[in-house]
PDB file of all heavy atoms in Angstrom:
ATOM      1  N   ARG V   1      71.319  -8.090 -43.228  1.00  0.00           N
ATOM      2  CA  ARG V   1      70.587  -8.104 -44.478  1.00  0.00           C
ATOM      3  C   ARG V   1      70.500  -9.541 -44.982  1.00  0.00           C
ATOM      4  O   ARG V   1      71.193 -10.425 -44.495  1.00  0.00           O
ATOM      5  CB  ARG V   1      71.262  -7.204 -45.526  1.00  0.00           C
ATOM      6  CG  ARG V   1      71.272  -5.718 -45.161  1.00  0.00           C
ATOM      7  CD  ARG V   1      69.877  -5.143 -45.167  1.00  0.00           C
ATOM      8  NE  ARG V   1      69.838  -3.701 -44.893  1.00  0.00           N
ATOM      9  CZ  ARG V   1      69.588  -3.178 -43.690  1.00  0.00           C
ATOM     10  NH1 ARG V   1      69.382  -3.972 -42.641  1.00  0.00           N
ATOM     11  NH2 ARG V   1      69.548  -1.867 -43.529  1.00  0.00           N
ATOM     12  N   GLY V   2      69.642  -9.765 -45.963  1.00  0.00           N
ATOM     13  CA  GLY V   2      69.444 -11.101 -46.502  1.00  0.00           C
ATOM     14  C   GLY V   2      69.606 -11.123 -48.002  1.00  0.00           C
ATOM     15  O   GLY V   2      70.083 -10.157 -48.610  1.00  0.00           O
ATOM     16  N   PRO V   3      69.176 -12.199 -48.648  1.00  0.00           N
ATOM     17  CA  PRO V   3      69.375 -12.346 -50.088  1.00  0.00           C
ATOM     18  C   PRO V   3      68.334 -11.637 -50.950  1.00  0.00           C
ATOM     19  O   PRO V   3      68.445 -11.663 -52.172  1.00  0.00           O
ATOM     20  CB  PRO V   3      69.295 -13.857 -50.285  1.00  0.00           C
ATOM     21  CG  PRO V   3      68.364 -14.318 -49.206  1.00  0.00           C
ATOM     22  CD  PRO V   3      68.644 -13.432 -48.034  1.00  0.00           C
ATOM     23  N   CYS V   4      67.322 -11.021 -50.338  1.00  0.00           N
ATOM     24  CA  CYS V   4      66.251 -10.379 -51.103  1.00  0.00           C
ATOM     25  C   CYS V   4      66.523  -8.880 -51.262  1.00  0.00           C
ATOM     26  O   CYS V   4      66.440  -8.126 -50.283  1.00  0.00           O
ATOM     27  CB  CYS V   4      64.905 -10.581 -50.404  1.00  0.00           C
ATOM     28  SG  CYS V   4      63.528  -9.773 -51.269  1.00  0.00           S
ATOM     29  N   PRO V   5      66.836  -8.419 -52.476  1.00  0.00           N
ATOM     30  CA  PRO V   5      67.118  -6.991 -52.667  1.00  0.00           C
ATOM     31  C   PRO V   5      65.948  -6.096 -52.276  1.00  0.00           C
ATOM     32  O   PRO V   5      66.158  -4.996 -51.757  1.00  0.00           O
ATOM     33  CB  PRO V   5      67.417  -6.886 -54.168  1.00  0.00           C
ATOM     34  CG  PRO V   5      67.799  -8.261 -54.597  1.00  0.00           C
ATOM     35  CD  PRO V   5      67.005  -9.191 -53.719  1.00  0.00           C
ATOM     36  N   ALA V   6      64.717  -6.564 -52.526  1.00  0.00           N
ATOM     37  CA  ALA V   6      63.550  -5.734 -52.217  1.00  0.00           C
ATOM     38  C   ALA V   6      63.437  -5.471 -50.720  1.00  0.00           C
ATOM     39  O   ALA V   6      63.218  -4.332 -50.286  1.00  0.00           O
ATOM     40  CB  ALA V   6      62.285  -6.396 -52.742  1.00  0.00           C
ATOM     41  N   LEU V   7      63.577  -6.516 -49.904  1.00  0.00           N
ATOM     42  CA  LEU V   7      63.457  -6.333 -48.451  1.00  0.00           C
ATOM     43  C   LEU V   7      64.660  -5.573 -47.894  1.00  0.00           C
ATOM     44  O   LEU V   7      64.510  -4.777 -46.960  1.00  0.00           O
ATOM     45  CB  LEU V   7      63.305  -7.687 -47.761  1.00  0.00           C
ATOM     46  CG  LEU V   7      62.021  -8.450 -48.102  1.00  0.00           C
ATOM     47  CD1 LEU V   7      61.898  -9.699 -47.230  1.00  0.00           C
ATOM     48  CD2 LEU V   7      60.783  -7.570 -47.947  1.00  0.00           C
ATOM     49  N   ASN V   8      65.844  -5.803 -48.448  1.00  0.00           N
ATOM     50  CA  ASN V   8      67.004  -5.019 -48.026  1.00  0.00           C
ATOM     51  C   ASN V   8      66.780  -3.541 -48.323  1.00  0.00           C
ATOM     52  O   ASN V   8      67.120  -2.670 -47.509  1.00  0.00           O
ATOM     53  CB  ASN V   8      68.268  -5.503 -48.739  1.00  0.00           C
ATOM     54  CG  ASN V   8      68.701  -6.887 -48.306  1.00  0.00           C
ATOM     55  OD1 ASN V   8      68.254  -7.407 -47.289  1.00  0.00           O
ATOM     56  ND2 ASN V   8      69.580  -7.500 -49.077  1.00  0.00           N
ATOM     57  N   THR V   9      66.185  -3.262 -49.476  1.00  0.00           N
ATOM     58  CA  THR V   9      65.881  -1.886 -49.840  1.00  0.00           C
ATOM     59  C   THR V   9      64.880  -1.280 -48.867  1.00  0.00           C
ATOM     60  O   THR V   9      65.025  -0.126 -48.442  1.00  0.00           O
ATOM     61  CB  THR V   9      65.320  -1.825 -51.277  1.00  0.00           C
ATOM     62  OG1 THR V   9      66.305  -2.312 -52.186  1.00  0.00           O
ATOM     63  CG2 THR V   9      64.933  -0.408 -51.662  1.00  0.00           C
ATOM     64  N   MET V  10      63.864  -2.054 -48.490  1.00  0.00           N
ATOM     65  CA  MET V  10      62.882  -1.560 -47.529  1.00  0.00           C
ATOM     66  C   MET V  10      63.546  -1.225 -46.188  1.00  0.00           C
ATOM     67  O   MET V  10      63.201  -0.228 -45.550  1.00  0.00           O
ATOM     68  CB  MET V  10      61.773  -2.585 -47.326  1.00  0.00           C
ATOM     69  CG  MET V  10      60.892  -2.852 -48.546  1.00  0.00           C
ATOM     70  SD  MET V  10      60.001  -1.397 -49.190  1.00  0.00           S
ATOM     71  CE  MET V  10      61.150  -0.846 -50.475  1.00  0.00           C
ATOM     72  N   ALA V  11      64.503  -2.038 -45.776  1.00  0.00           N
ATOM     73  CA  ALA V  11      65.218  -1.761 -44.525  1.00  0.00           C
ATOM     74  C   ALA V  11      66.103  -0.521 -44.661  1.00  0.00           C
ATOM     75  O   ALA V  11      66.176   0.312 -43.741  1.00  0.00           O
ATOM     76  CB  ALA V  11      66.059  -2.970 -44.122  1.00  0.00           C
ATOM     77  N   ASN V  12      66.756  -0.364 -45.792  1.00  0.00           N
ATOM     78  CA  ASN V  12      67.633   0.795 -45.999  1.00  0.00           C
ATOM     79  C   ASN V  12      66.860   2.107 -46.015  1.00  0.00           C
ATOM     80  O   ASN V  12      67.436   3.169 -45.756  1.00  0.00           O
ATOM     81  CB  ASN V  12      68.414   0.639 -47.303  1.00  0.00           C
ATOM     82  CG  ASN V  12      69.463  -0.452 -47.239  1.00  0.00           C
ATOM     83  OD1 ASN V  12      69.834  -0.905 -46.159  1.00  0.00           O
ATOM     84  ND2 ASN V  12      69.928  -0.889 -48.398  1.00  0.00           N
ATOM     85  N   HIS V  13      65.568   2.033 -46.297  1.00  0.00           N
ATOM     86  CA  HIS V  13      64.725   3.234 -46.289  1.00  0.00           C
ATOM     87  C   HIS V  13      63.862   3.322 -45.030  1.00  0.00           C
ATOM     88  O   HIS V  13      63.067   4.254 -44.898  1.00  0.00           O
ATOM     89  CB  HIS V  13      63.826   3.259 -47.526  1.00  0.00           C
ATOM     90  CG  HIS V  13      64.544   3.672 -48.780  1.00  0.00           C
ATOM     91  ND1 HIS V  13      64.649   4.979 -49.194  1.00  0.00           N
ATOM     92  CD2 HIS V  13      65.219   2.927 -49.699  1.00  0.00           C
ATOM     93  CE1 HIS V  13      65.337   5.034 -50.324  1.00  0.00           C
ATOM     94  NE2 HIS V  13      65.696   3.800 -50.662  1.00  0.00           N
ATOM     95  N   GLY V  14      63.985   2.365 -44.131  1.00  0.00           N
ATOM     96  CA  GLY V  14      63.266   2.442 -42.866  1.00  0.00           C
ATOM     97  C   GLY V  14      61.820   2.020 -42.923  1.00  0.00           C
ATOM     98  O   GLY V  14      61.075   2.231 -41.957  1.00  0.00           O
ATOM     99  N   TYR V  15      61.375   1.394 -44.021  1.00  0.00           N
ATOM    100  CA  TYR V  15      59.996   0.927 -44.086  1.00  0.00           C
ATOM    101  C   TYR V  15      59.780  -0.332 -43.248  1.00  0.00           C
ATOM    102  O   TYR V  15      58.656  -0.643 -42.859  1.00  0.00           O
ATOM    103  CB  TYR V  15      59.584   0.667 -45.532  1.00  0.00           C
ATOM    104  CG  TYR V  15      59.444   1.927 -46.343  1.00  0.00           C
ATOM    105  CD1 TYR V  15      60.302   2.190 -47.410  1.00  0.00           C
ATOM    106  CD2 TYR V  15      58.462   2.870 -46.043  1.00  0.00           C
ATOM    107  CE1 TYR V  15      60.174   3.350 -48.153  1.00  0.00           C
ATOM    108  CE2 TYR V  15      58.332   4.033 -46.778  1.00  0.00           C
ATOM    109  CZ  TYR V  15      59.197   4.270 -47.841  1.00  0.00           C
ATOM    110  OH  TYR V  15      59.076   5.424 -48.569  1.00  0.00           O
ATOM    111  N   ILE V  16      60.857  -1.065 -43.025  1.00  0.00           N
ATOM    112  CA  ILE V  16      60.920  -2.105 -42.008  1.00  0.00           C
ATOM    113  C   ILE V  16      62.135  -1.756 -41.151  1.00  0.00           C
ATOM    114  O   ILE V  16      62.937  -0.901 -41.544  1.00  0.00           O
ATOM    115  CB  ILE V  16      61.029  -3.526 -42.622  1.00  0.00           C
ATOM    116  CG1 ILE V  16      62.234  -3.638 -43.551  1.00  0.00           C
ATOM    117  CG2 ILE V  16      59.735  -3.888 -43.348  1.00  0.00           C
ATOM    118  CD1 ILE V  16      62.426  -5.035 -44.135  1.00  0.00           C
ATOM    119  N   PRO V  17      62.287  -2.339 -39.970  1.00  0.00           N
ATOM    120  CA  PRO V  17      63.390  -1.918 -39.097  1.00  0.00           C
ATOM    121  C   PRO V  17      64.738  -1.878 -39.818  1.00  0.00           C
ATOM    122  O   PRO V  17      65.128  -2.822 -40.501  1.00  0.00           O
ATOM    123  CB  PRO V  17      63.367  -2.979 -37.999  1.00  0.00           C
ATOM    124  CG  PRO V  17      61.928  -3.369 -37.910  1.00  0.00           C
ATOM    125  CD  PRO V  17      61.430  -3.357 -39.328  1.00  0.00           C
ATOM    126  N   ARG V  18      65.429  -0.769 -39.660  1.00  0.00           N
ATOM    127  CA  ARG V  18      66.688  -0.562 -40.373  1.00  0.00           C
ATOM    128  C   ARG V  18      67.768  -1.561 -39.985  1.00  0.00           C
ATOM    129  O   ARG V  18      68.685  -1.811 -40.777  1.00  0.00           O
ATOM    130  CB  ARG V  18      67.193   0.872 -40.139  1.00  0.00           C
ATOM    131  CG  ARG V  18      66.321   1.939 -40.805  1.00  0.00           C
ATOM    132  CD  ARG V  18      66.937   3.310 -40.652  1.00  0.00           C
ATOM    133  NE  ARG V  18      66.068   4.362 -41.171  1.00  0.00           N
ATOM    134  CZ  ARG V  18      66.078   4.804 -42.422  1.00  0.00           C
ATOM    135  NH1 ARG V  18      66.928   4.270 -43.281  1.00  0.00           N
ATOM    136  NH2 ARG V  18      65.252   5.767 -42.805  1.00  0.00           N
ATOM    137  N   ASP V  19      67.656  -2.138 -38.801  1.00  0.00           N
ATOM    138  CA  ASP V  19      68.683  -3.114 -38.416  1.00  0.00           C
ATOM    139  C   ASP V  19      68.398  -4.505 -38.976  1.00  0.00           C
ATOM    140  O   ASP V  19      69.199  -5.425 -38.805  1.00  0.00           O
ATOM    141  CB  ASP V  19      68.855  -3.169 -36.898  1.00  0.00           C
ATOM    142  CG  ASP V  19      67.620  -3.678 -36.167  1.00  0.00           C
ATOM    143  OD1 ASP V  19      66.606  -3.983 -36.828  1.00  0.00           O
ATOM    144  OD2 ASP V  19      67.681  -3.761 -34.916  1.00  0.00           O
ATOM    145  N   GLY V  20      67.240  -4.677 -39.638  1.00  0.00           N
ATOM    146  CA  GLY V  20      66.913  -5.956 -40.250  1.00  0.00           C
ATOM    147  C   GLY V  20      66.404  -7.004 -39.283  1.00  0.00           C
ATOM    148  O   GLY V  20      66.325  -8.183 -39.642  1.00  0.00           O
ATOM    149  N   ARG V  21      65.992  -6.581 -38.098  1.00  0.00           N
ATOM    150  CA  ARG V  21      65.563  -7.518 -37.066  1.00  0.00           C
ATOM    151  C   ARG V  21      64.107  -7.263 -36.653  1.00  0.00           C
ATOM    152  O   ARG V  21      63.576  -6.180 -36.835  1.00  0.00           O
ATOM    153  CB  ARG V  21      66.461  -7.402 -35.830  1.00  0.00           C
ATOM    154  CG  ARG V  21      67.923  -7.763 -36.090  1.00  0.00           C
ATOM    155  CD  ARG V  21      68.780  -7.498 -34.858  1.00  0.00           C
ATOM    156  NE  ARG V  21      70.147  -7.998 -35.001  1.00  0.00           N
ATOM    157  CZ  ARG V  21      71.135  -7.310 -35.551  1.00  0.00           C
ATOM    158  NH1 ARG V  21      70.919  -6.079 -36.005  1.00  0.00           N
ATOM    159  NH2 ARG V  21      72.345  -7.844 -35.657  1.00  0.00           N
ATOM    160  N   HIS V  22      63.479  -8.303 -36.092  1.00  0.00           N
ATOM    161  CA  HIS V  22      62.147  -8.193 -35.507  1.00  0.00           C
ATOM    162  C   HIS V  22      61.113  -7.647 -36.494  1.00  0.00           C
ATOM    163  O   HIS V  22      60.366  -6.717 -36.183  1.00  0.00           O
ATOM    164  CB  HIS V  22      62.196  -7.337 -34.239  1.00  0.00           C
ATOM    165  CG  HIS V  22      63.117  -7.883 -33.198  1.00  0.00           C
ATOM    166  ND1 HIS V  22      63.947  -7.086 -32.449  1.00  0.00           N
ATOM    167  CD2 HIS V  22      63.376  -9.156 -32.814  1.00  0.00           C
ATOM    168  CE1 HIS V  22      64.654  -7.843 -31.614  1.00  0.00           C
ATOM    169  NE2 HIS V  22      64.314  -9.107 -31.821  1.00  0.00           N
ATOM    170  N   ILE V  23      61.059  -8.242 -37.657  1.00  0.00           N
ATOM    171  CA  ILE V  23      60.099  -7.854 -38.689  1.00  0.00           C
ATOM    172  C   ILE V  23      58.869  -8.735 -38.527  1.00  0.00           C
ATOM    173  O   ILE V  23      58.942  -9.958 -38.669  1.00  0.00           O
ATOM    174  CB  ILE V  23      60.705  -8.035 -40.087  1.00  0.00           C
ATOM    175  CG1 ILE V  23      61.979  -7.187 -40.221  1.00  0.00           C
ATOM    176  CG2 ILE V  23      59.687  -7.669 -41.172  1.00  0.00           C
ATOM    177  CD1 ILE V  23      62.848  -7.582 -41.393  1.00  0.00           C
ATOM    178  N   THR V  24      57.731  -8.132 -38.232  1.00  0.00           N
ATOM    179  CA  THR V  24      56.509  -8.913 -38.025  1.00  0.00           C
ATOM    180  C   THR V  24      55.766  -9.098 -39.346  1.00  0.00           C
ATOM    181  O   THR V  24      56.009  -8.388 -40.327  1.00  0.00           O
ATOM    182  CB  THR V  24      55.580  -8.225 -37.013  1.00  0.00           C
ATOM    183  OG1 THR V  24      55.112  -6.986 -37.576  1.00  0.00           O
ATOM    184  CG2 THR V  24      56.300  -7.968 -35.696  1.00  0.00           C
ATOM    185  N   GLN V  25      54.835 -10.045 -39.349  1.00  0.00           N
ATOM    186  CA  GLN V  25      54.091 -10.330 -40.568  1.00  0.00           C
ATOM    187  C   GLN V  25      53.225  -9.143 -41.010  1.00  0.00           C
ATOM    188  O   GLN V  25      53.241  -8.787 -42.193  1.00  0.00           O
ATOM    189  CB  GLN V  25      53.243 -11.587 -40.391  1.00  0.00           C
ATOM    190  CG  GLN V  25      52.656 -12.112 -41.685  1.00  0.00           C
ATOM    191  CD  GLN V  25      52.110 -13.519 -41.548  1.00  0.00           C
ATOM    192  OE1 GLN V  25      52.033 -14.068 -40.460  1.00  0.00           O
ATOM    193  NE2 GLN V  25      51.718 -14.112 -42.657  1.00  0.00           N
ATOM    194  N   PRO V  26      52.469  -8.483 -40.109  1.00  0.00           N
ATOM    195  CA  PRO V  26      51.712  -7.302 -40.548  1.00  0.00           C
ATOM    196  C   PRO V  26      52.608  -6.204 -41.113  1.00  0.00           C
ATOM    197  O   PRO V  26      52.237  -5.527 -42.077  1.00  0.00           O
ATOM    198  CB  PRO V  26      51.013  -6.841 -39.262  1.00  0.00           C
ATOM    199  CG  PRO V  26      50.906  -8.072 -38.431  1.00  0.00           C
ATOM    200  CD  PRO V  26      52.162  -8.841 -38.698  1.00  0.00           C
ATOM    201  N   MET V  27      53.775  -6.029 -40.513  1.00  0.00           N
ATOM    202  CA  MET V  27      54.714  -5.024 -40.990  1.00  0.00           C
ATOM    203  C   MET V  27      55.151  -5.332 -42.423  1.00  0.00           C
ATOM    204  O   MET V  27      55.167  -4.455 -43.302  1.00  0.00           O
ATOM    205  CB  MET V  27      55.936  -5.014 -40.054  1.00  0.00           C
ATOM    206  CG  MET V  27      56.919  -3.886 -40.255  1.00  0.00           C
ATOM    207  SD  MET V  27      58.369  -4.119 -39.181  1.00  0.00           S
ATOM    208  CE  MET V  27      57.616  -4.106 -37.559  1.00  0.00           C
ATOM    209  N   LEU V  28      55.472  -6.604 -42.663  1.00  0.00           N
ATOM    210  CA  LEU V  28      55.925  -7.015 -43.981  1.00  0.00           C
ATOM    211  C   LEU V  28      54.797  -6.910 -45.005  1.00  0.00           C
ATOM    212  O   LEU V  28      55.000  -6.440 -46.143  1.00  0.00           O
ATOM    213  CB  LEU V  28      56.468  -8.445 -43.924  1.00  0.00           C
ATOM    214  CG  LEU V  28      57.117  -8.992 -45.189  1.00  0.00           C
ATOM    215  CD1 LEU V  28      58.260  -8.097 -45.633  1.00  0.00           C
ATOM    216  CD2 LEU V  28      57.614 -10.413 -44.942  1.00  0.00           C
ATOM    217  N   MET V  29      53.599  -7.335 -44.624  1.00  0.00           N
ATOM    218  CA  MET V  29      52.453  -7.248 -45.533  1.00  0.00           C
ATOM    219  C   MET V  29      52.186  -5.798 -45.930  1.00  0.00           C
ATOM    220  O   MET V  29      51.864  -5.505 -47.084  1.00  0.00           O
ATOM    221  CB  MET V  29      51.224  -7.866 -44.869  1.00  0.00           C
ATOM    222  CG  MET V  29      51.326  -9.367 -44.648  1.00  0.00           C
ATOM    223  SD  MET V  29      50.021 -10.025 -43.570  1.00  0.00           S
ATOM    224  CE  MET V  29      48.629  -9.999 -44.705  1.00  0.00           C
ATOM    225  N   ASP V  30      52.340  -4.899 -44.997  1.00  0.00           N
ATOM    226  CA  ASP V  30      52.077  -3.489 -45.226  1.00  0.00           C
ATOM    227  C   ASP V  30      53.012  -2.918 -46.283  1.00  0.00           C
ATOM    228  O   ASP V  30      52.578  -2.267 -47.243  1.00  0.00           O
ATOM    229  CB  ASP V  30      52.220  -2.729 -43.916  1.00  0.00           C
ATOM    230  CG  ASP V  30      51.590  -1.344 -43.956  1.00  0.00           C
ATOM    231  OD1 ASP V  30      50.621  -1.155 -44.714  1.00  0.00           O
ATOM    232  OD2 ASP V  30      52.072  -0.463 -43.232  1.00  0.00           O
ATOM    233  N   VAL V  31      54.324  -3.156 -46.129  1.00  0.00           N
ATOM    234  CA  VAL V  31      55.266  -2.550 -47.073  1.00  0.00           C
ATOM    235  C   VAL V  31      55.188  -3.204 -48.449  1.00  0.00           C
ATOM    236  O   VAL V  31      55.374  -2.528 -49.470  1.00  0.00           O
ATOM    237  CB  VAL V  31      56.711  -2.587 -46.544  1.00  0.00           C
ATOM    238  CG1 VAL V  31      56.824  -1.796 -45.260  1.00  0.00           C
ATOM    239  CG2 VAL V  31      57.224  -3.996 -46.348  1.00  0.00           C
ATOM    240  N   LEU V  32      54.914  -4.508 -48.490  1.00  0.00           N
ATOM    241  CA  LEU V  32      54.793  -5.170 -49.786  1.00  0.00           C
ATOM    242  C   LEU V  32      53.630  -4.597 -50.588  1.00  0.00           C
ATOM    243  O   LEU V  32      53.709  -4.464 -51.813  1.00  0.00           O
ATOM    244  CB  LEU V  32      54.593  -6.682 -49.603  1.00  0.00           C
ATOM    245  CG  LEU V  32      55.802  -7.468 -49.103  1.00  0.00           C
ATOM    246  CD1 LEU V  32      55.440  -8.925 -48.871  1.00  0.00           C
ATOM    247  CD2 LEU V  32      56.981  -7.359 -50.069  1.00  0.00           C
ATOM    248  N   GLU V  33      52.576  -4.212 -49.888  1.00  0.00           N
ATOM    249  CA  GLU V  33      51.416  -3.642 -50.574  1.00  0.00           C
ATOM    250  C   GLU V  33      51.612  -2.163 -50.871  1.00  0.00           C
ATOM    251  O   GLU V  33      51.431  -1.710 -52.009  1.00  0.00           O
ATOM    252  CB  GLU V  33      50.157  -3.835 -49.732  1.00  0.00           C
ATOM    253  CG  GLU V  33      48.904  -3.273 -50.409  1.00  0.00           C
ATOM    254  CD  GLU V  33      47.644  -3.498 -49.587  1.00  0.00           C
ATOM    255  OE1 GLU V  33      47.728  -3.610 -48.349  1.00  0.00           O
ATOM    256  OE2 GLU V  33      46.563  -3.560 -50.195  1.00  0.00           O
ATOM    257  N   ARG V  34      51.971  -1.397 -49.862  1.00  0.00           N
ATOM    258  CA  ARG V  34      51.915   0.055 -49.996  1.00  0.00           C
ATOM    259  C   ARG V  34      53.170   0.684 -50.589  1.00  0.00           C
ATOM    260  O   ARG V  34      53.113   1.779 -51.145  1.00  0.00           O
ATOM    261  CB  ARG V  34      51.608   0.686 -48.648  1.00  0.00           C
ATOM    262  CG  ARG V  34      50.185   0.434 -48.198  1.00  0.00           C
ATOM    263  CD  ARG V  34      49.702   1.540 -47.305  1.00  0.00           C
ATOM    264  NE  ARG V  34      50.118   1.341 -45.941  1.00  0.00           N
ATOM    265  CZ  ARG V  34      50.127   2.297 -45.013  1.00  0.00           C
ATOM    266  NH1 ARG V  34      49.804   3.526 -45.338  1.00  0.00           N
ATOM    267  NH2 ARG V  34      50.481   2.028 -43.769  1.00  0.00           N
ATOM    268  N   VAL V  35      54.296   0.000 -50.481  1.00  0.00           N
ATOM    269  CA  VAL V  35      55.531   0.561 -51.028  1.00  0.00           C
ATOM    270  C   VAL V  35      55.908  -0.097 -52.347  1.00  0.00           C
ATOM    271  O   VAL V  35      56.314   0.575 -53.287  1.00  0.00           O
ATOM    272  CB  VAL V  35      56.693   0.434 -50.018  1.00  0.00           C
ATOM    273  CG1 VAL V  35      57.959   1.095 -50.574  1.00  0.00           C
ATOM    274  CG2 VAL V  35      56.319   1.070 -48.682  1.00  0.00           C
ATOM    275  N   LEU V  36      55.735  -1.430 -52.429  1.00  0.00           N
ATOM    276  CA  LEU V  36      56.168  -2.149 -53.626  1.00  0.00           C
ATOM    277  C   LEU V  36      55.028  -2.516 -54.570  1.00  0.00           C
ATOM    278  O   LEU V  36      55.279  -2.993 -55.672  1.00  0.00           O
ATOM    279  CB  LEU V  36      56.942  -3.410 -53.218  1.00  0.00           C
ATOM    280  CG  LEU V  36      58.270  -3.148 -52.506  1.00  0.00           C
ATOM    281  CD1 LEU V  36      58.922  -4.460 -52.111  1.00  0.00           C
ATOM    282  CD2 LEU V  36      59.203  -2.332 -53.394  1.00  0.00           C
ATOM    283  N   GLY V  37      53.778  -2.343 -54.152  1.00  0.00           N
ATOM    284  CA  GLY V  37      52.663  -2.549 -55.059  1.00  0.00           C
ATOM    285  C   GLY V  37      52.391  -3.999 -55.407  1.00  0.00           C
ATOM    286  O   GLY V  37      51.968  -4.311 -56.524  1.00  0.00           O
ATOM    287  N   LEU V  38      52.597  -4.891 -54.454  1.00  0.00           N
ATOM    288  CA  LEU V  38      52.297  -6.302 -54.676  1.00  0.00           C
ATOM    289  C   LEU V  38      50.836  -6.565 -54.325  1.00  0.00           C
ATOM    290  O   LEU V  38      50.312  -6.018 -53.353  1.00  0.00           O
ATOM    291  CB  LEU V  38      53.214  -7.156 -53.795  1.00  0.00           C
ATOM    292  CG  LEU V  38      53.436  -8.622 -54.190  1.00  0.00           C
ATOM    293  CD1 LEU V  38      54.028  -8.727 -55.586  1.00  0.00           C
ATOM    294  CD2 LEU V  38      54.348  -9.302 -53.177  1.00  0.00           C
ATOM    295  N   GLY V  39      50.181  -7.404 -55.105  1.00  0.00           N
ATOM    296  CA  GLY V  39      48.792  -7.745 -54.841  1.00  0.00           C
ATOM    297  C   GLY V  39      48.655  -8.635 -53.618  1.00  0.00           C
ATOM    298  O   GLY V  39      49.607  -9.292 -53.189  1.00  0.00           O
ATOM    299  N   ARG V  40      47.455  -8.694 -53.085  1.00  0.00           N
ATOM    300  CA  ARG V  40      47.265  -9.330 -51.781  1.00  0.00           C
ATOM    301  C   ARG V  40      47.465 -10.840 -51.789  1.00  0.00           C
ATOM    302  O   ARG V  40      47.972 -11.391 -50.809  1.00  0.00           O
ATOM    303  CB  ARG V  40      45.892  -8.942 -51.223  1.00  0.00           C
ATOM    304  CG  ARG V  40      45.844  -7.466 -50.850  1.00  0.00           C
ATOM    305  CD  ARG V  40      44.632  -7.098 -50.044  1.00  0.00           C
ATOM    306  NE  ARG V  40      44.768  -5.742 -49.529  1.00  0.00           N
ATOM    307  CZ  ARG V  40      43.952  -5.196 -48.629  1.00  0.00           C
ATOM    308  NH1 ARG V  40      42.927  -5.896 -48.163  1.00  0.00           N
ATOM    309  NH2 ARG V  40      44.155  -3.970 -48.208  1.00  0.00           N
ATOM    310  N   THR V  41      47.066 -11.532 -52.849  1.00  0.00           N
ATOM    311  CA  THR V  41      47.326 -12.976 -52.888  1.00  0.00           C
ATOM    312  C   THR V  41      48.817 -13.247 -52.928  1.00  0.00           C
ATOM    313  O   THR V  41      49.321 -14.139 -52.237  1.00  0.00           O
ATOM    314  CB  THR V  41      46.635 -13.627 -54.096  1.00  0.00           C
ATOM    315  OG1 THR V  41      45.218 -13.493 -53.949  1.00  0.00           O
ATOM    316  CG2 THR V  41      46.984 -15.108 -54.196  1.00  0.00           C
TER     317      THR V  41
END
């Protein structure tokens, strides 16, 4: 895990790999938009 609670939370729920490894940019963009509601810019 890392210092970002939001991304750690995404890993704990399996929206990104649960082991916290091999997270690609499209994967991260997807969860930031669809799970956390962040705007595209």
Side-chain angles (χ1 to χ4, degrees):
R1 295 293 183 263
C4 178
L7 295 187
N8 292 345
T9 298
M10 294 300 94
N12 290 344
H13 283 270
Y15 290 114
I16 56 177
R18 291 185 185 270
D19 65 359
R21 297 175 172 87
H22 301 139
I23 301 164
T24 66
Q25 192 166 8
M27 190 185 300
L28 186 57
M29 293 168 75
D30 196 29
V31 298
L32 289 176
E33 181 178 27
R34 289 208 276 163
V35 183
L36 294 178
L38 201 59
R40 291 192 170 190
T41 296

